[in-house]
Amino acid sequence: MRSKGMKWQGMAAIGLVLVMGLADVALAAEKIVIGGMYPMTGRGGRYGMDSVAAAEIAAEEINAKGGVNGRMIDLIFTDDKSNTSYGVKVANRYIKEDKVNFLMGVVSSAVGLAVTEVSKENKVIFVGTDHASTALTMEKFQPYYFRVSNNTYQSAAAAALYAKDKKEWKKYYVIGPDYEYGHRTWEDFWMLLGKKRKDVKMVGQAWPKLYEPDYTPYITAILNAKPDVLVTTFWGGDTVAFIKQALPYKLFDKMKMFNYDGGGNYEVLEALPKTLPKGLVLSARHHNNWPDTKENKEYVKKFKAKTGRYPSYAAEGAYAGVYFIAEGVRQAGTAEDADKLVAVMEKMKFRLPEDPPGFTSYMRPIDHQVVQMQAIGETVPNKSFPPATMMLGNWKIYKAEDIIPSEEEILAARKAAKK
């Protein structure tokens, strides 16, 4: 592994070998360089630290088996600070100075939307491992972008199927961070639920800033509106902060809380070992206790052994990202020809820890969005993953093909965006 900003040592030696006419030997010695961008501090810091650890595990596994076509995986990481302009600066530096073969990562959808423009301009493949706005694979799609974790549409579609059967959920209130991800997560859900239920209505909405320190005024407004269900689109530390501040008001005794994309992250479960309420309806893009497969157990065990803690869901996205890139390079036979890589990667199947028995994740050519199954659960007592004392259970499982937009929907959205 290389640290941020290190020069690409060994290039001079490789050039010399090429001059000597040993091109194949030189290519085998050249590394596959991946430039990762994740927040490392603040409320999003856990996502970044876990992503780095899981990416390193994947690279170590691949390199221990001889790399990819004889080439080793080399990772560079930088704290993107969840800042759009800084993320763009880092992506450009990776491409122009560090000569990376791939860009990877990004937790914030706002940063992801900015970095995908850098990827498009430079024709360098950008593998999204965590940010979820559907815009990246729908309206803002560009051919050098791929995403290996669920987007907001997939989570929202599973949530709409879940809510369709909750006949007692008629009055909805939504609160989430005031930026692309927060709004899109709600908009996708409300649009899809509206197609299935005509007896639901929204009784209020609130959009505090990302990393808001004080939710008290919003909690008071929610209680006054008396919804049946509170949808939150918070993630990470914002989810923890909101729950902590809502507990004294007994908010969760008066309505259901529903967070179908990031609310079931292990970070939330471990942060509230004594106070997390039972019966919250949550999900995430990976679960430490679902599916109950050998692959998932081994992945979680390796992460725990490396870091001393259980992984948040963001980690598995980074783990998937490294394996996706490695398999793409193996099948394409190159890490330098982006167009050849795109032709291979957009049709790839690749099995991941989150895949249940009988299903393998795969990429769709039309939007370069991974297709995966989705599980939604409730908080139930479970001390198998300390310090958490609540995990998700009572699962509802949704088929991958039931929670993706049709090709007609995607093309219509792109056409509308151009007007």
Side-chain angles (χ1 to χ4, degrees):
M1 309 301 168
R2 291 193 299 150
S3 301
K4 177 190 70 174
M6 287 184 66
K7 300 297 184 184
W8 197 354
Q9 298 176 353
M11 286 297 293
I14 291 170
L16 178 60
V17 175
L18 286 168
V19 171
M20 293 170 65
L22 299 176
D24 290 343
V25 174
L27 186 60
E30 194 172 341
K31 295 177 179 178
I32 300 164
V33 186
I34 302 171
M37 293 168 281
Y38 294 98
M40 306 291 183
T41 54
R43 286 185 179 176
R46 175 64 182 275
Y47 280 52
M49 291 187 292
D50 282 8
S51 296
V52 169
E56 288 178 346
I57 291 171
E60 289 162 4
E61 291 175 348
I62 294 165
N63 290 342
K65 296 176 182 176
V68 183
N69 300 337
R71 300 172 66 175
M72 298 295 110
I73 299 288
D74 193 7
L75 303 172
I76 308 173
F77 295 108
T78 299
D79 182 355
D80 66 15
K81 308 179 190 296
S82 294
N83 181 290
T84 300
S85 59
Y86 188 70
V88 168
K89 183 178 180 180
V90 171
N92 276 307
R93 190 196 73 211
Y94 274 165
I95 293 169
K96 295 169 183 173
E97 296 181 20
D98 296 301
K99 309 297 182 186
V100 300
N101 300 109
F102 300 91
L103 299 171
M104 188 181 87
V106 180
V107 170
S108 164
S109 289
V111 179
L113 284 164
V115 170
T116 197
E117 294 299 322
V118 179
S119 161
K120 178 183 177 182
E121 180 181 346
N122 292 277
K123 295 186 177 182
V124 173
I125 291 174
F126 173 27
V127 177
T129 67
D130 184 60
H131 53 274
S133 172
T134 305
L136 281 125
T137 48
M138 195 171 282
E139 302 98 310
K140 300 291 185 180
F141 172 77
Q142 57 93 6
Y144 301 101
Y145 175 80
F146 291 88
R147 178 159 41 206
V148 295
S149 59
N150 275 358
N151 63 18
T152 53
Y153 185 101
Q154 291 163 296
S155 296
L161 289 171
Y162 188 98
K164 174 178 69 67
D165 297 328
K166 294 292 182 181
K167 301 303 182 186
E168 68 277 22
W169 292 5
K170 294 183 178 178
K171 295 187 295 181
Y172 283 74
Y173 198 110
V174 57
I175 182 170
D178 188 16
Y179 79 113
E180 167 66 20
Y181 169 80
H183 287 274
R184 190 61 185 256
T185 305
W186 164 255
E187 290 164 1
D188 285 346
F189 167 73
W190 196 239
M191 176 270 294
L192 292 164
L193 181 61
K195 293 180 178 179
K196 304 177 187 302
R197 293 274 301 269
K198 301 301 180 185
D199 60 337
V200 296
K201 65 178 181 179
M202 184 168 63
V203 296
Q205 57 181 309
W207 302 102
K209 66 182 180 182
L210 183 65
Y211 306 150
E212 168 66 48
D214 182 11
Y215 294 109
T216 304
Y218 304 103
I219 292 167
T220 302
I222 294 166
L223 290 169
N224 289 337
K226 299 180 178 178
D228 299 318
V229 57
L230 172 66
V231 172
T232 76
T233 61
F234 294 126
W235 56 273
D238 280 9
T239 307
V240 176
F242 178 80
I243 292 174
K244 281 184 176 179
Q245 293 178 33
L247 281 169
Y249 293 87
K250 300 186 183 302
L251 182 145
F252 306 107
D253 295 337
K254 300 169 183 174
M255 64 194 73
K256 278 289 184 182
M257 175 178 158
F258 191 26
N259 186 318
Y260 41 81
D261 190 62
N265 190 15
Y266 180 75
E267 177 191 22
V268 176
L269 306 178
E270 73 169 359
L272 301 163
K274 296 182 179 178
T275 56
L276 187 67
K278 182 181 177 182
L280 304 184
V281 183
L282 309 173
S283 188
R285 295 171 216 146
H286 170 261
H287 306 282
N288 292 334
N289 62 333
W290 185 90
D292 186 22
T293 60
K294 179 182 177 182
E295 292 97 329
N296 199 31
K297 289 177 180 177
E298 288 184 350
Y299 160 75
V300 172
K301 183 179 179 181
K302 282 186 179 180
F303 188 96
K304 181 72 161 51
K306 181 179 179 68
T307 66
R309 62 181 184 272
Y310 289 107
S312 60
Y313 76 71
E316 201 242 4
Y319 183 84
V322 173
Y323 265 100
F324 177 71
I325 288 170
E327 182 59 17
V329 172
R330 187 190 70 78
Q331 292 191 23
T334 178
E336 287 72 28
D337 188 334
D339 292 319
K340 190 173 182 179
L341 282 160
V342 167
V344 167
M345 294 170 111
E346 67 181 8
K347 299 175 184 175
M348 272 183 17
K349 288 187 174 183
F350 46 106
R351 185 158 177 80
L352 298 173
E354 68 180 275
D355 290 339
F359 179 82
T360 298
S361 294
Y362 62 92
M363 196 62 66
R364 278 208 307 182
I366 192 169
D367 57 2
H368 292 185
Q369 170 62 53
V370 72
V371 180
Q372 297 176 321
M373 297 182 71
Q374 179 85 352
I376 296 177
E378 297 179 341
T379 48
V380 296
N382 184 335
K383 297 183 179 178
S384 299
F385 299 86
T389 59
M390 289 275 186
M391 296 292 288
L392 298 188
N394 299 330
W395 297 103
K396 299 287 186 183
I397 311 301
Y398 299 95
K399 294 180 180 178
E401 287 75 18
D402 290 343
I403 58 173
I404 54 176
S406 67
E407 294 193 3
E408 290 75 18
E409 288 177 280
I410 292 170
L411 294 174
R414 290 175 185 168
K415 184 178 180 180
K418 290 180 179 178
K419 292 182 179 178

Coordinates of all heavy atoms in Angstrom, one line a residue, residues 319-373:
Y319 N -14.8 -2.7 -0.1 CA -14.3 -4.1 -0.3 C -14.8 -4.5 -1.7 O -14.0 -5.0 -2.5 CB -14.9 -5.0 0.8 CG -14.5 -6.4 0.8 CD1 -13.2 -6.8 1.3 CD2 -15.3 -7.4 0.2 CE1 -12.9 -8.1 1.3 CE2 -14.9 -8.7 0.2 CZ -13.7 -9.1 0.7 OH -13.3 -10.4 0.7
A320 N -16.1 -4.2 -2.0 CA -16.6 -4.6 -3.3 C -15.9 -3.8 -4.4 O -15.7 -4.4 -5.5 CB -18.1 -4.3 -3.3
G321 N -15.6 -2.6 -4.1 CA -15.0 -1.7 -5.2 C -13.7 -2.3 -5.6 O -13.4 -2.3 -6.8
V322 N -12.8 -2.7 -4.7 CA -11.5 -3.2 -5.1 C -11.7 -4.5 -5.8 O -11.0 -4.7 -6.9 CB -10.7 -3.4 -3.8 CG1 -9.4 -4.1 -4.1 CG2 -10.4 -2.1 -3.1
Y323 N -12.6 -5.4 -5.4 CA -12.8 -6.6 -6.1 C -13.4 -6.4 -7.5 O -13.0 -7.1 -8.5 CB -13.7 -7.6 -5.3 CG -12.8 -8.5 -4.5 CD1 -12.6 -8.3 -3.1 CD2 -12.2 -9.7 -5.0 CE1 -11.8 -9.2 -2.3 CE2 -11.4 -10.5 -4.3 CZ -11.3 -10.3 -2.9 OH -10.5 -11.1 -2.2
F324 N -14.3 -5.4 -7.6 CA -14.9 -5.1 -8.9 C -13.8 -4.6 -9.9 O -13.7 -5.1 -11.1 CB -15.9 -4.0 -8.7 CG -16.5 -3.5 -10.0 CD1 -17.4 -4.3 -10.7 CD2 -16.3 -2.3 -10.5 CE1 -18.0 -3.9 -11.9 CE2 -16.9 -1.8 -11.7 CZ -17.7 -2.6 -12.4
I325 N -12.9 -3.8 -9.4 CA -11.8 -3.3 -10.3 C -10.9 -4.4 -10.7 O -10.5 -4.6 -11.8 CB -11.0 -2.2 -9.5 CG1 -11.9 -0.9 -9.5 CG2 -9.7 -1.9 -10.2 CD1 -11.3 0.2 -8.6
A326 N -10.5 -5.2 -9.7 CA -9.6 -6.3 -10.0 C -10.1 -7.3 -11.0 O -9.4 -7.7 -11.9 CB -9.3 -7.1 -8.7
E327 N -11.4 -7.6 -10.9 CA -12.0 -8.6 -11.8 C -12.1 -7.9 -13.2 O -12.0 -8.6 -14.2 CB -13.4 -9.0 -11.3 CG -14.1 -10.0 -12.2 CD -13.3 -11.3 -12.4 OE1 -12.4 -11.6 -11.6 OE2 -13.7 -12.1 -13.3
G328 N -12.4 -6.6 -13.2 CA -12.5 -5.9 -14.5 C -11.2 -5.9 -15.2 O -11.1 -6.2 -16.4
V329 N -10.1 -5.7 -14.5 CA -8.7 -5.7 -15.1 C -8.4 -7.1 -15.5 O -7.8 -7.3 -16.6 CB -7.7 -5.2 -14.1 CG1 -6.3 -5.4 -14.6 CG2 -8.0 -3.7 -13.8
R330 N -8.8 -8.1 -14.7 CA -8.4 -9.5 -15.1 C -9.1 -9.9 -16.4 O -8.5 -10.4 -17.3 CB -8.9 -10.4 -14.0 CG -8.4 -11.9 -14.2 CD -9.1 -12.8 -13.2 NE -10.5 -13.0 -13.5 CZ -11.0 -13.8 -14.4 NH1 -10.2 -14.4 -15.3 NH2 -12.3 -13.9 -14.6
Q331 N -10.4 -9.5 -16.5 CA -11.1 -9.9 -17.7 C -10.7 -9.1 -18.9 O -10.7 -9.6 -20.1 CB -12.6 -9.8 -17.5 CG -13.2 -10.8 -16.5 CD -14.7 -10.8 -16.5 OE1 -15.4 -10.4 -17.4 NE2 -15.3 -11.3 -15.4
A332 N -10.5 -7.8 -18.7 CA -10.1 -6.9 -19.9 C -8.7 -7.1 -20.3 O -8.3 -6.7 -21.4 CB -10.4 -5.4 -19.5
G333 N -7.8 -7.5 -19.3 CA -6.4 -7.7 -19.6 C -5.7 -6.4 -19.7 O -4.5 -6.3 -20.2
T334 N -6.2 -5.3 -19.1 CA -5.6 -4.0 -19.1 C -6.2 -3.2 -17.9 O -7.3 -3.4 -17.5 CB -5.8 -3.3 -20.4 OG1 -5.2 -2.0 -20.3 CG2 -7.3 -3.1 -20.7
A335 N -5.3 -2.3 -17.4 CA -5.8 -1.3 -16.4 C -5.7 0.1 -17.0 O -6.0 1.1 -16.4 CB -5.0 -1.4 -15.1
E336 N -5.2 0.2 -18.3 CA -5.0 1.5 -18.9 C -6.0 1.8 -20.0 O -6.2 3.0 -20.3 CB -3.6 1.5 -19.5 CG -2.4 1.5 -18.5 CD -2.2 0.2 -17.7 OE1 -2.5 -0.9 -18.3 OE2 -1.7 0.3 -16.6
D337 N -6.6 0.8 -20.6 CA -7.6 1.1 -21.7 C -9.0 1.2 -21.1 O -9.7 0.2 -20.9 CB -7.5 0.0 -22.7 CG -8.3 0.3 -24.0 OD1 -9.3 1.1 -23.9 OD2 -8.0 -0.3 -25.0
A338 N -9.4 2.5 -20.8 CA -10.7 2.7 -20.1 C -11.9 2.2 -20.9 O -12.8 1.6 -20.3 CB -10.8 4.2 -19.8
D339 N -11.8 2.4 -22.2 CA -13.0 1.9 -23.0 C -13.1 0.4 -23.0 O -14.2 -0.1 -23.0 CB -12.9 2.5 -24.4 CG -13.0 4.0 -24.4 OD1 -13.9 4.5 -23.7 OD2 -12.3 4.7 -25.1
K340 N -12.0 -0.3 -23.1 CA -12.0 -1.7 -23.1 C -12.5 -2.2 -21.7 O -13.3 -3.2 -21.6 CB -10.6 -2.3 -23.4 CG -10.6 -3.8 -23.6 CD -9.2 -4.2 -24.1 CE -9.2 -5.7 -24.3 NZ -7.9 -6.2 -24.8
L341 N -12.1 -1.5 -20.6 CA -12.5 -1.9 -19.3 C -14.1 -1.7 -19.2 O -14.8 -2.5 -18.6 CB -11.8 -1.0 -18.3 CG -10.4 -1.4 -17.9 CD1 -9.6 -0.3 -17.3 CD2 -10.4 -2.7 -17.0
V342 N -14.6 -0.5 -19.7 CA -16.0 -0.3 -19.6 C -16.8 -1.4 -20.3 O -17.8 -1.8 -19.7 CB -16.3 1.1 -20.2 CG1 -17.8 1.3 -20.4 CG2 -15.8 2.2 -19.3
A343 N -16.3 -1.8 -21.4 CA -17.1 -2.8 -22.2 C -17.2 -4.1 -21.4 O -18.2 -4.8 -21.5 CB -16.4 -3.1 -23.5
V344 N -16.2 -4.4 -20.6 CA -16.2 -5.6 -19.8 C -16.9 -5.4 -18.5 O -17.8 -6.2 -18.1 CB -14.7 -6.0 -19.4 CG1 -14.7 -7.1 -18.3 CG2 -14.0 -6.6 -20.7
M345 N -16.7 -4.3 -17.8 CA -17.2 -4.1 -16.4 C -18.7 -3.9 -16.4 O -19.4 -4.3 -15.5 CB -16.5 -2.9 -15.8 CG -15.0 -3.1 -15.5 SD -14.2 -1.6 -15.0 CE -13.8 -1.9 -13.3
E346 N -19.3 -3.4 -17.5 CA -20.7 -3.1 -17.5 C -21.5 -4.4 -17.7 O -22.8 -4.3 -17.6 CB -21.1 -2.1 -18.6 CG -20.9 -2.6 -20.0 CD -21.2 -1.5 -21.0 OE1 -21.5 -0.3 -20.6 OE2 -21.3 -1.8 -22.2
K347 N -20.9 -5.5 -17.9 CA -21.6 -6.8 -18.0 C -21.2 -7.8 -16.9 O -21.5 -8.9 -17.0 CB -21.3 -7.4 -19.4 CG -21.8 -6.5 -20.5 CD -21.4 -7.1 -21.9 CE -21.8 -6.2 -23.0 NZ -21.3 -6.7 -24.3
M348 N -20.4 -7.3 -15.9 CA -19.8 -8.3 -15.0 C -20.8 -8.7 -13.9 O -21.6 -8.0 -13.5 CB -18.6 -7.6 -14.3 CG -17.3 -7.8 -15.1 SD -15.8 -7.2 -14.3 CE -16.2 -6.9 -12.6
K349 N -20.6 -10.0 -13.5 CA -21.2 -10.5 -12.3 C -20.1 -10.7 -11.3 O -18.9 -11.1 -11.6 CB -21.8 -11.9 -12.5 CG -23.1 -11.8 -13.4 CD -23.8 -13.1 -13.4 CE -25.2 -13.0 -14.1 NZ -25.9 -14.3 -14.2
F350 N -20.3 -10.4 -10.0 CA -19.3 -10.6 -9.0 C -20.0 -10.8 -7.6 O -20.8 -10.0 -7.2 CB -18.4 -9.3 -8.9 CG -19.1 -8.0 -8.9 CD1 -19.2 -7.2 -7.8 CD2 -19.7 -7.5 -10.1 CE1 -19.9 -6.0 -7.8 CE2 -20.4 -6.3 -10.1 CZ -20.5 -5.6 -9.0
R351 N -19.6 -11.9 -7.0 CA -20.3 -12.3 -5.7 C -19.7 -11.5 -4.6 O -18.4 -11.4 -4.4 CB -20.1 -13.8 -5.5 CG -20.9 -14.3 -4.3 CD -21.2 -15.7 -4.3 NE -21.9 -16.1 -3.1 CZ -23.2 -15.9 -2.8 NH1 -23.9 -15.3 -3.8 NH2 -23.7 -16.2 -1.7
L352 N -20.5 -11.0 -3.7 CA -20.1 -10.2 -2.6 C -20.6 -10.8 -1.2 O -21.6 -11.6 -1.2 CB -20.7 -8.8 -2.7 CG -20.2 -8.0 -4.0 CD1 -21.0 -6.7 -4.2 CD2 -18.7 -7.8 -3.9
P353 N -20.1 -10.3 -0.1 CA -20.5 -10.8 1.2 C -22.0 -10.6 1.4 O -22.6 -11.4 2.1 CB -19.7 -10.0 2.2 CG -18.4 -9.7 1.4 CD -18.9 -9.5 0.0
E354 N -22.6 -9.6 0.8 CA -24.0 -9.3 1.1 C -25.0 -10.1 0.2 O -26.2 -10.0 0.3 CB -24.3 -7.8 0.9 CG -24.2 -7.3 -0.6 CD -24.5 -5.9 -0.7 OE1 -25.7 -5.5 -0.8 OE2 -23.6 -5.1 -0.7
D355 N -24.4 -10.9 -0.7 CA -25.3 -11.7 -1.6 C -25.8 -12.9 -0.8 O -25.0 -13.8 -0.3 CB -24.5 -12.2 -2.8 CG -24.2 -11.0 -3.7 OD1 -24.9 -10.0 -3.7 OD2 -23.3 -11.1 -4.6
P356 N -27.1 -13.1 -0.8 CA -27.7 -14.3 -0.1 C -27.5 -15.5 -1.0 O -27.2 -15.4 -2.2 CB -29.2 -14.0 0.0 CG -29.4 -13.0 -1.0 CD -28.2 -12.2 -1.2
P357 N -27.7 -16.7 -0.5 CA -27.6 -17.9 -1.3 C -28.5 -17.9 -2.6 O -29.6 -17.4 -2.5 CB -28.1 -19.0 -0.4 CG -27.8 -18.5 1.0 CD -28.0 -17.0 0.9
G358 N -27.9 -18.3 -3.7 CA -28.7 -18.3 -5.0 C -28.7 -17.0 -5.7 O -29.3 -16.9 -6.8
F359 N -28.0 -15.9 -5.2 CA -28.0 -14.7 -5.9 C -26.6 -14.1 -6.0 O -25.8 -14.2 -5.0 CB -28.9 -13.6 -5.2 CG -28.8 -12.3 -5.9 CD1 -29.7 -12.1 -7.0 CD2 -28.0 -11.3 -5.5 CE1 -29.6 -10.8 -7.7 CE2 -27.9 -10.0 -6.2 CZ -28.8 -9.8 -7.3
T360 N -26.2 -13.6 -7.2 CA -24.9 -12.9 -7.3 C -25.1 -11.5 -7.9 O -25.8 -11.3 -8.9 CB -24.0 -13.7 -8.4 OG1 -23.8 -15.0 -7.8 CG2 -22.7 -13.1 -8.6
S361 N -24.5 -10.5 -7.3 CA -24.6 -9.2 -7.7 C -24.1 -9.0 -9.2 O -23.2 -9.7 -9.6 CB -23.7 -8.2 -6.8 OG -24.2 -8.2 -5.5
Y362 N -24.7 -8.1 -9.9 CA -24.3 -7.9 -11.3 C -24.5 -6.4 -11.7 O -25.3 -5.7 -11.1 CB -25.0 -8.8 -12.2 CG -26.5 -8.7 -12.3 CD1 -27.1 -7.8 -13.3 CD2 -27.3 -9.4 -11.5 CE1 -28.5 -7.7 -13.4 CE2 -28.7 -9.3 -11.5 CZ -29.3 -8.4 -12.5 OH -30.7 -8.3 -12.6
M363 N -23.8 -6.0 -12.7 CA -23.8 -4.7 -13.2 C -24.8 -4.6 -14.4 O -24.8 -5.5 -15.2 CB -22.4 -4.2 -13.6 CG -22.2 -2.7 -13.8 SD -22.5 -1.7 -12.3 CE -21.2 -2.3 -11.2
R364 N -25.5 -3.5 -14.5 CA -26.4 -3.3 -15.6 C -25.7 -2.3 -16.6 O -25.3 -1.2 -16.3 CB -27.7 -2.6 -15.2 CG -28.7 -3.6 -14.7 CD -30.2 -3.2 -14.9 NE -30.5 -1.8 -14.5 CZ -31.7 -1.3 -14.6 NH1 -32.7 -2.0 -15.1 NH2 -31.9 -0.1 -14.1
P365 N -25.7 -2.7 -17.9 CA -25.0 -1.8 -18.9 C -25.7 -0.4 -19.0 O -25.0 0.6 -19.2 CB -25.2 -2.6 -20.2 CG -25.3 -4.0 -19.8 CD -26.0 -4.0 -18.5
I366 N -27.0 -0.3 -18.9 CA -27.7 0.9 -19.1 C -27.4 2.0 -18.1 O -27.4 3.2 -18.5 CB -29.2 0.7 -19.2 CG1 -29.9 2.0 -19.8 CG2 -29.8 0.3 -17.8 CD1 -31.3 1.8 -20.1
D367 N -27.1 1.6 -16.9 CA -26.8 2.7 -15.9 C -25.6 2.4 -15.0 O -25.2 3.2 -14.2 CB -28.0 2.9 -15.0 CG -28.5 1.6 -14.3 OD1 -27.8 0.5 -14.5 OD2 -29.5 1.6 -13.5
H368 N -24.9 1.3 -15.3 CA -23.7 1.0 -14.5 C -23.9 1.0 -13.0 O -23.1 1.4 -12.2 CB -22.5 2.0 -14.9 CG -22.0 1.8 -16.3 ND1 -20.9 2.5 -16.7 CD2 -22.4 1.0 -17.3 CE1 -20.7 2.2 -18.0 NE2 -21.6 1.3 -18.3
Q369 N -25.1 0.5 -12.7 CA -25.6 0.4 -11.3 C -25.6 -1.0 -10.9 O -26.3 -1.8 -11.6 CB -26.9 1.1 -11.1 CG -27.6 0.8 -9.7 CD -26.7 1.4 -8.6 OE1 -26.4 2.6 -8.6 NE2 -26.4 0.6 -7.6
V370 N -25.0 -1.4 -9.8 CA -25.0 -2.8 -9.4 C -26.4 -3.1 -9.0 O -27.2 -2.3 -8.4 CB -24.1 -3.0 -8.2 CG1 -24.6 -2.4 -6.9 CG2 -23.8 -4.5 -8.0
V371 N -26.8 -4.4 -9.3 CA -28.2 -4.9 -9.0 C -28.0 -5.8 -7.8 O -27.3 -6.8 -7.9 CB -28.8 -5.6 -10.2 CG1 -30.2 -6.1 -9.8 CG2 -28.9 -4.6 -11.3
Q372 N -28.7 -5.6 -6.7 CA -28.5 -6.3 -5.5 C -29.9 -6.5 -4.8 O -30.8 -5.7 -5.0 CB -27.6 -5.7 -4.5 CG -26.2 -5.5 -5.1 CD -25.2 -4.8 -4.1 OE1 -25.6 -3.8 -3.5 NE2 -24.0 -5.2 -4.0
M373 N -30.0 -7.5 -3.9 CA -31.2 -7.7 -3.1 C -31.1 -6.7 -1.9 O -30.1 -6.2 -1.6 CB -31.3 -9.1 -2.6 CG -31.5 -10.1 -3.7 SD -31.6 -11.8 -3.3 CE -33.3 -11.8 -2.5

